[in-house]
Amino acid sequence: MNAEKPVRKVVIVGGGTAGWMTAAVLSQWLSQVEINLVESEEIGTIGVGEATIPHIRNYLALAGIDALEMISASKASFKLGIQFIDWGAPGESYIHGFGKIGRDMLWLHPHQLWLAARDRVPDRVKAFDHYSMNCVACLKNRFAFPDSRNRNSPLADMDYAYHFDASLFARFLRGHSEERGVERIEGRIVDVTRNPESGFVEAVRLADGREVGGELFVDCSGMRALLIGGTLGIGYEDWSQWLLCDRAMAVPCESVSPLTPYTRSTARRAGWQWRIPLQHRIGNGYVYSSNLIGDEEVAEALLSNLDGKALADPRPVRFAPGRRVKAWDKNVVAIGLSSGFLEPLESTSIHLIQTGIHRLLAMFPSSGFSATDIDEYNFQSRTEYEDVRDFVIAHYKVTRRSGDPFWDHVRTMQVPDTLNQRFELFRSSGRFFKHGAAELFAEESWVQVLLGQGFEMRADPVTRFVPDDEIVGFLHDIEEVIADVAERLPDHAKFLRSLPPRSPPRPTTDTTVPAINFNLRYTRDSDELTSS
Ligand code: FAD
């Protein structure tokens, strides 16, 4: 093969969220490439996957999509974080909010000061949620766009994502992709032709006998993994020793007021329940271990825990936690559920689709298909999956729930060494370091989840240099300013209604918040820990 010739024909197999997200980006950037997408209405899509993380905004930008157009077409709402109920122990709750927490005192992060205050003057510190702009806005059902013009405002580092209707989102992306020349081919793939020498896929054959040929095949066929698993036989690494859930029951219900700007996850007897508020309905589901609870009990529990009237019958979905051993093999790249599955506890699957697409663009092949590029792609994909896996496992391991076989198992299980090392560092000094720049979850995320679930950690010893009153005053300032600003933010539902239809995002009059800043007594430039 001639290594210099760029790939000119791409076939995307599957038209779920993964397929159309891939089509939208490739058609935006590779106008010289012919793109076909094959999907089967008879088979359909998984039809769930409605909560995202802030990086989705980068995806929309990469795909050249107007966010407000997406919000309107996909009945989206804003998401500032995830509320976890009963996870640490029954009766407890916390929020994993996006964005930065409070502000730093020199190099000391707010959680270090909070840990020190909690140990030394416990009655002078509030719950950790009070020091995060996102968390406080969640609890008040408020929302506004971040205000990056004023670096000292607590709104500067607010961050947000979306909840959207998965089917409407895929349809919306399809419209954009077809407009840019992607050809959609309806049909069920029944066979795959391979080159007898190289083993590369040459074409897929449809039930009606048509053949769709290409140079690069993107396998977005969902859990069927038609090409990467079925044709090329790439195996699946099973992570069920840590992640017991293998099934979900999903049901939409009518909306209720207020429209909450966060996903909710509530721990249940043998798993957990999600709640995702959209403009027109609420998505709900119970994720569970089918070894420890039956479908009937799950359906009953789910239906008795809905906020509004059910809009359909509960629908079961099976899955296998784990990842494809190689996401890219020969001329097939697996993106979406064909490449692996991690339960939606931290809404990461759509993000993993997005990074898969980004990586494919960065390593877009020539017809020579460089083995080095393929190895690099697979290395990055594996590392990313394992990092997210560890974060999800941490939610299960750090719990004081007991008495149910599910929770007794996860609380006492052995976890991956990589996670144990992270726990040790937190335990001894509350410290955290990313394993690599590309690691998805930052210190703020780990700290909120671990503290929220009752993980015992000691403050950084350096905090001993800071007098009690200094720490308390500093935290009080953060808490007071955040509470004040949050009170002035618009109501989430009102904010959504105020958005101008189909025009670029820009704050409306409703979002204008008076400039209230942190009281900057400490900066990285000062050389002593005293107030100025
Ligand atoms: P699918 O939607 O299954 O699409 C597969 C496509 O392949 C379909 O178009 C199908 O017709 C086609 N196809 C398959 N076989 C053939 C064939 N033989 N011939 C032709 N076409 C074929 N992710 C999040 O980020 N946030 C969440 O909140 C979230 N919640 C989830 C909840 C649950 C219970 C589950 C299971 C997943 C959740 N996910 C979530 C993951 C998310 O749903 C998926 O990552 C996303 O929908 C992508 O799916 P997909 O496109 O890979 O597969």
Side-chain angles (χ1 to χ4, degrees):
M1 276 187 228
N2 177 1
E4 299 307 315
K5 230 170 61 187
V7 158
R8 298 299 282 262
K9 178 143 193 224
V10 176
V11 178
I12 299 170
V13 170
T17 305
W20 286 113
M21 278 180 74
T22 307
V25 166
L26 296 191
S27 58
Q28 168 76 353
W29 292 97
L30 304 174
S31 53
Q32 308 287 318
V33 175
E34 182 186 342
I35 303 168
N36 289 341
L37 185 147
V38 185
E39 69 173 317
S40 158
E41 266 171 27
E42 182 191 327
I43 293 173
T45 66
I46 195 155
V48 281
E50 314 204 306
T52 62
I53 57 175
H55 308 66
I56 188 71
R57 285 157 40 217
N58 300 338
Y59 169 80
L60 296 180
L62 186 70
I65 282 169
D66 174 66
L68 291 194
E69 206 185 308
M70 185 285 290
I71 290 170
S72 162
S74 314
K75 305 267 184 225
S77 67
F78 291 103
K79 172 177 172 184
L80 291 170
I82 306 175
Q83 182 183 45
F84 288 88
I85 295 183
D86 296 342
W87 275 81
E92 293 183 0
S93 78
Y94 69 94
I95 292 179
H96 167 197
F98 304 135
K100 217 172 137 38
I101 299 168
R103 64 189 182 88
D104 299 341
M105 178 193 274
L106 302 174
W107 66 92
L108 288 173
H109 297 177
H111 76 278
Q112 297 288 9
L113 303 168
W114 185 86
L115 287 169
R118 189 197 57 179
D119 289 348
R120 284 149 47 177
V121 281
D123 51 340
R124 295 175 71 190
V125 71
K126 293 200 172 176
F128 194 59
D129 283 352
H130 286 82
Y131 304 93
S132 148
M133 187 67 237
N134 271 51
C135 295
V136 176
C138 280
L139 292 170
K140 290 179 182 289
N141 296 314
R142 306 294 174 92
F143 182 81
F145 289 131
D147 182 5
S148 53
R149 292 164 306 181
N150 179 2
R151 290 306 309 157
N152 295 332
S153 160
L155 293 177
D157 295 310
M158 245 180 122
D159 214 350
Y160 70 94
Y162 302 104
H163 301 121
F164 50 57
D165 182 312
S167 311
L168 295 179
F169 183 61
R171 197 180 307 161
F172 169 72
L173 294 178
R174 174 180 160 184
H176 272 281
S177 307
E178 289 185 320
E179 211 174 73
R180 294 173 191 156
V182 173
E183 189 191 341
R184 175 185 179 275
I185 299 168
E186 167 62 36
R188 190 162 52 83
I189 296 167
V190 291
D191 202 5
V192 179
T193 317
R194 295 172 71 181
N195 182 295
E197 280 164 30
S198 65
F200 277 41
V201 171
E202 290 183 333
V204 291
R205 193 156 54 78
L206 310 184
D208 63 8
R210 279 176 298 162
E211 286 217 335
V212 184
E215 293 169 86
L216 170 69
F217 288 78
V218 188
D219 186 347
C220 298
S221 63
M223 291 178 192
R224 285 178 178 78
L226 220 60
L227 303 183
I228 196 83
T231 305
L232 299 184
I234 299 300
Y236 198 76
E237 196 175 307
D238 175 23
W239 287 341
S240 60
Q241 76 265 41
W242 301 299
L243 299 167
L244 302 193
C245 295
D246 60 354
R247 220 178 262 210
M249 191 78 76
V251 66
C253 75
E254 284 178 350
S255 295
V256 290
S257 201
L259 179 64
T260 49
Y262 52 88
T263 305
R264 179 179 295 151
S265 163
T266 307
R268 297 271 178 239
R269 184 169 87 66
W272 59 278
Q273 182 172 339
W274 82 74
R275 178 189 184 277
I276 300 176
L278 307 175
Q279 287 181 31
H280 59 312
R281 62 168 170 80
I282 300 173
N284 306 276
Y286 188 149
V287 178
Y288 57 102
S289 160
S290 62
N291 284 327
L292 297 171
I293 192 169
D295 291 353
E296 262 176 44
E297 192 187 333
V298 168
E300 208 174 292
L302 183 58
L303 291 172
S304 62
N305 280 300
L306 300 181
D307 286 344
K309 195 175 136 221
L311 296 172
D313 289 331
R315 187 170 58 89
V317 188
R318 288 161 194 263
F319 54 81
R323 72 169 189 100
R324 193 67 49 192
V325 173
K326 283 197 261 176
W328 187 340
D329 186 51
K330 303 190 190 301
N331 62 338
V332 174
V333 182
I335 292 183
L337 297 173
S338 57
S339 70
F341 184 75
L342 280 161
E343 60 186 78
L345 189 57
E346 284 286 349
S347 322
T348 43
S349 283
I350 292 171
H351 176 75
L352 293 170
I353 293 173
Q354 169 179 344
T355 52
I357 297 168
H358 201 265
R359 214 172 279 135
L360 177 58
L361 262 193
M363 300 181 205
F364 197 76
S366 64
S367 51
F369 283 88
S370 145
T372 321
D373 280 352
I374 295 176
D375 288 348
E376 180 61 27
Y377 186 103
N378 288 329
F379 168 76
Q380 290 184 15
S381 172
R382 176 173 67 78
T383 319
E384 184 177 44
Y385 258 95
E386 288 175 352
D387 285 340
V388 176
R389 174 200 68 190
D390 282 4
F391 188 52
V392 172
I393 295 174
H395 295 63
Y396 286 111
K397 177 71 182 167
V398 183
T399 183
R400 284 155 287 127
R401 289 182 68 98
S402 66
D404 294 316
F406 180 90
W407 293 99
D408 288 343
H409 176 92
V410 295
R411 194 188 65 250
T412 54
M413 69 184 167
Q414 293 293 319
V415 297
D417 290 345
T418 39
L419 180 56
N420 268 329
Q421 287 153 11
R422 194 146 257 176
F423 280 158
E424 253 340 287
L425 200 57
F426 268 120
R427 215 185 310 275
S428 60
S429 60
R431 287 177 185 154
F432 170 93
F433 300 97
K434 271 193 169 187
H435 291 151
E439 188 172 351
L440 178 58
F441 289 102
E443 181 183 78
E444 285 86 351
S445 295
W446 281 89
V447 161
Q448 288 178 92
V449 170
L450 295 191
L451 288 179
Q453 297 199 191
F455 185 90
E456 276 308 319
M457 56 177 103
R458 280 201 291 272
D460 189 316
V462 174
T463 52
R464 294 200 198 112
F465 297 140
V466 193
D468 292 357
D469 284 347
E470 290 291 328
I471 291 185
V472 169
F474 189 87
L475 289 175
H476 179 72
D477 176 40
I478 293 175
E479 186 238 320
E480 201 175 54
V481 169
I482 284 176
D484 195 357
V485 172
E487 201 51 52
R488 295 161 198 254
L489 296 179
D491 170 73
H492 176 215
K494 199 169 156 215
F495 183 92
L496 260 174
R497 284 195 300 272
S498 80
L499 293 175
R502 292 161 197 274
S503 59
R506 92 175 77 86
T508 62
T509 45
D510 253 6
T511 71
T512 312
V513 176
I516 305 169
N517 300 335
F518 287 127
N519 180 4
L520 289 181
R521 285 181 294 169
Y522 302 93
T523 69
R524 280 176 191 277
D525 300 331
S526 53
D527 53 10
E528 48 180 345
L529 287 164
T530 53
S531 49
S532 55

